[in-house]
Structures are given as C-alpha cells and as structure tokens.
C-alpha cells in the first residue's frame, strides 16, 4: 500500500493512494506540474476524488487532472453545499459539464461504501474491492467541510507497495513494515485525514482513534502565529474555532488518542511556513515516538513524499 503526498500546506493540498489502476485522491489543490508524474503510471480505470472543502488550495487541480485523463470516469465526493459551490465556479464549468464527471453527495457523520471497480469490470489481481468511508464535519470557514476516515478492506492482511516512476520523483520515501503496524489477523486498514478544522469533536476523537495511519493538521504554533506577519484579522481567523489546528491542540488530541493505542503512523500536515517551524515540529515528532511509540513524519510544503507499507 502506498500514499503519496503531492502537496500539504497553504500552497496546495493533495494526497494520492492508488489501488491497482484505480486512482484515489483526498483533495486535489496542486498544479499540473505536480500531477504530471501520474502520467508515467498506467492509465487509470477510474478516479475517485474526495474533497474536504471548496478552498482553492484543495480543489485547484480538478481541471488539470481532467485534461490529463479526458475520457477516464471521475467520481467527485463532497458535501452538497461544497459541490454546489464548485459547480457554480466559472473556472470549473467545463469540468462539471463533462460526461465523464459524476458528483456524489456526502453528509457528515455517515458511513459510505465506495466501489473500487466500475460497473461491469472484473476484479484485478491483488485488488481492493471497496473502501468504507466515514465522514465528519470540520469546523472551518466553509459551508460544510468534511474530513475522512478510510477503512480499506483487503483480501489479504499482507500489504505490498508497488515500485513505479512516481517513487523516483519523490524527495522522500518512508518505508514501514506492515508487521509494525497491523496485527496478524487484521484485514481492515484505517487511514484518517483530519485537517482544516479549528477544533476537534468527540466524534472525531472516537473515529480517528481507530486509525492505524493518521494525517493530522499541525498548522501553527501559538507564539509563532502571534509573531508572524499576518494581519491581526487573519491571525484571529486561523486561531479561531473555525480556523486551523495548532501544535498544542494536536498534542492534546494525540494524548487522548494514545489511550486506544491504535495509531502507529502520524503525519503532521498542512503546516504553515509563516506561523510554524519544521524544527519545532520535529521536537513534537520525537516526543510522539518516545512517549507513545507513534512513528511521526513532518510533511513539508511543495515536496512529494511517499508513504510505503510492505
């Protein structure tokens, strides 16, 4: 299994995890140049895109991806208000008019089953037949933003990462042994993506505490935000209950999640280079590793990173 970070931060966000020739994205707010390595892989059978919210740094790559694969079916998943906003944006009109694009509405705090195969297709070798997707409402300046937990059903507990051209284009590859992460009889791999929320809810705590792999926002440090060059109104928005998660909030969240002992890989995401410090986050990373035995990776903006589990 592999997860590729195409972007994480204010300059663009996108996380890509393929299953065979099915492409899956959480957000697609990156430029065409960052998507181009995907062309070196085999042509996708279809593409699933799970949109958290409508901000440009999460959706700007929709048209670019469609231009790369103009005849490939694209299924877009988001809340109804977000789909409506995207549909009305002039820059995306051609995207929504395409016969190959199908929107799917998702409500918060629901469990959905998403097929990995197009109707009429047969399963390919080593395929993942479906994923269950748990949604949660995020507390952000969006009409109805969603975060996602993916429960990936696998036919075998063994997860094999594939080598492809994209690996040679990544600046960092983190390889994890599946035996360090999953129990021997586990055939459900839970991966969570929780960013762009000003606070966490009890529902999030319960849901993301079930994850083995968690992408968690670490947007700002309180003291560095205050010293930053942002206008005071922006500082207040970022630190508000509908803004972003801070390092301190993330620490409190992980302390609570550690009770379950499920999280094995933590990826600190959506880091602000104006209001945070990678050096400071490395200290958090060391703490999570030494205190909770959670392997932690700090994601940087504008750099590919590949998470490989085998």
């Amino acid at each position: 299994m592999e997860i590729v970070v195409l972007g994480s931060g204010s300059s663009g966000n996108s996380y890509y995890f393929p299953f065979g020739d099915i492409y899956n994205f959480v957000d697609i707010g990156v430029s065409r140049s960052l998507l181009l390595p995907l062309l070196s892989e085999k042509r996708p059978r279809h593409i699933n895109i799970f949109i958290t919210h409508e901000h440009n740094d999460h959706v700007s790559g929709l048209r670019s991806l469609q231009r790369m694969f103009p005849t490939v079916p694209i299924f877009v998943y988001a809340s109804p208000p977000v789909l409506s906003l995207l549909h009305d944006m002039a820059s995306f009109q051609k995207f929504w008019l395409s016969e190959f694009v199908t929107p799917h509405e998702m409500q918060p705090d629901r469990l959905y089953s998403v097929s990995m195969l197009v109707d009429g297709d047969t399963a390919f070798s080593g395929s993942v037949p479906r994923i269950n997707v748990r949604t949660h409402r995020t507390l952000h300046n969006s009409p109805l933003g969603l975060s996602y937990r993916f429960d990936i059903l696998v036919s075998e507990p063994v997860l094999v990462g594939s080598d492809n051209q994209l690996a040679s284009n990544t600046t960092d590859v983190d390889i994890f042994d599946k035996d360090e992460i999953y129990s021997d009889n586990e055939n459900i791999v839970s991966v969570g993506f929780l960013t762009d929320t000003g606070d966490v809810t009890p529902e999030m705590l319960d849901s993301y505490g079930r994850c083995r792999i968690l992408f968690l926002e670490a947007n700002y440090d309180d003291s560095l935000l205050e010293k930053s060059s942002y206008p005071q109104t922006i500082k207040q928005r970022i630190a508000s209950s509908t803004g972003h998660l801070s390092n301190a909030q993330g620490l409190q969240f992980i302390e609570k999640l550690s009770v379950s002992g499920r999280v094995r890989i933590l990826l600190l995401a959506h880091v602000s280079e104006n209001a945070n410090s990678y050096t400071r986050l490395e200290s958090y990373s060391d703490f999570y590793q030494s205190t909770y035995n959670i392997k932690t990776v700090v994601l940087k903006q504008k750099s590919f990173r590949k998470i490989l589990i085998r």
Side-chain angles (χ1 to χ4, degrees):
M1 178 181 180
E2 64 183 19
I3 304 173
V4 179
V5 180
L6 298 173
S8 181
S10 57
S11 60
N13 298 273
S14 186
Y15 308 94
Y16 161 70
F17 51 107
F19 292 119
D21 52 6
I22 307 301
Y23 285 13
N24 301 281
F25 294 85
V26 175
D27 287 332
I28 187 156
V30 294
S31 65
R32 178 179 173 84
S33 63
L34 293 177
L35 294 170
L36 282 176
L38 299 178
L39 287 173
S40 64
E41 299 189 6
K42 55 189 172 183
R43 183 177 180 274
R45 188 174 304 199
H46 79 259
I47 299 171
N48 295 316
I49 305 175
F50 299 87
I51 301 294
T52 59
H53 62 296
E54 75 284 358
H55 292 172
N56 195 59
D57 58 324
H58 293 262
V59 300
S60 61
L62 284 170
R63 281 288 286 146
S64 294
L65 187 70
Q66 184 187 36
R67 290 189 185 103
M68 290 167 59
F69 304 107
T71 61
V72 172
I74 297 177
F75 302 94
V76 180
Y77 300 84
S79 70
V82 167
L83 284 174
S84 179
L85 282 172
L86 292 174
H87 189 274
D88 291 342
M89 289 183 185
S91 58
F92 294 140
Q93 283 304 301
K94 291 184 179 179
F95 177 82
W96 293 110
L97 290 173
S98 169
E99 63 179 302
F100 296 101
V101 174
T102 305
H104 288 280
E105 296 182 350
M106 304 188 91
Q107 300 292 341
D109 300 313
R110 301 277 182 86
L111 182 65
Y112 296 89
S113 182
V114 178
S115 174
M116 288 288 99
L117 301 174
V118 178
D119 290 343
D121 285 339
T122 57
F124 43 85
S125 177
S127 69
V128 178
R130 68 185 188 279
I131 53 177
N132 289 338
V133 185
R134 173 72 68 177
T135 59
H136 296 286
R137 179 170 191 162
T138 53
L139 306 175
H140 197 55
N141 57 328
S142 168
L144 183 53
L146 297 175
S147 63
Y148 298 99
R149 187 192 85 207
F150 297 90
D151 299 329
I152 302 165
L153 306 172
V154 295
S155 57
E156 297 289 342
V158 177
L159 302 177
V160 179
S162 60
D163 293 323
N164 52 42
Q165 186 65 30
L166 189 58
S168 65
N169 289 288
T170 57
T171 57
D172 294 284
V173 178
D174 299 285
I175 301 176
F176 297 96
D177 187 337
K178 66 176 183 62
D179 294 328
E180 296 181 279
I181 302 167
Y182 314 120
S183 61
D184 291 338
N185 61 353
E186 192 164 25
N187 68 344
I188 298 179
V189 181
S190 294
V191 182
F193 294 85
L194 178 57
T195 68
D196 296 85
T197 185
D199 204 351
V200 295
T201 63
E203 291 79 12
M204 291 176 182
L205 180 62
D206 176 69
S207 183
Y208 294 109
R210 302 170 188 265
C211 290
R212 289 298 192 182
I213 304 169
L214 176 61
F215 289 76
L216 179 66
E217 182 169 52
N219 184 256
Y220 68 95
D221 178 88
D222 291 286
S223 61
L224 295 179
L225 176 63
E226 189 56 38
K227 295 175 184 176
S228 72
S229 59
Y230 286 134
Q232 192 59 34
T233 53
I234 300 298
K235 293 178 182 178
Q236 292 172 348
R237 180 182 64 79
I238 291 172
S240 73
S241 60
T242 56
H244 293 276
L245 287 182
S246 69
N247 297 345
Q249 287 174 298
L251 175 59
Q252 294 172 354
F253 190 53
I254 293 301
E255 286 176 340
K256 294 176 181 177
L257 290 188
S258 67
V259 175
S260 71
R262 295 281 300 172
V263 178
R264 286 290 177 265
I265 300 177
L266 175 66
L267 300 106
L268 300 179
H270 210 303
V271 178
S272 168
E273 293 186 332
N274 296 323
N276 213 338
S277 160
Y278 293 126
T279 301
R280 192 163 296 190
L281 285 173
E282 289 296 345
S283 297
Y284 279 88
S285 175
D286 293 340
F287 177 79
Y288 294 141
Q289 172 68 53
S290 61
T291 306
Y292 303 120
N293 194 30
I294 299 174
K295 299 178 184 297
T296 307
V297 175
V298 179
L299 300 179
K300 296 182 179 181
Q301 296 191 40
K302 297 182 180 179
S303 64
F304 282 174
R305 190 146 198 156
K306 186 172 187 176
I307 313 302
L308 184 64
I309 302 169
R310 59 186 184 186

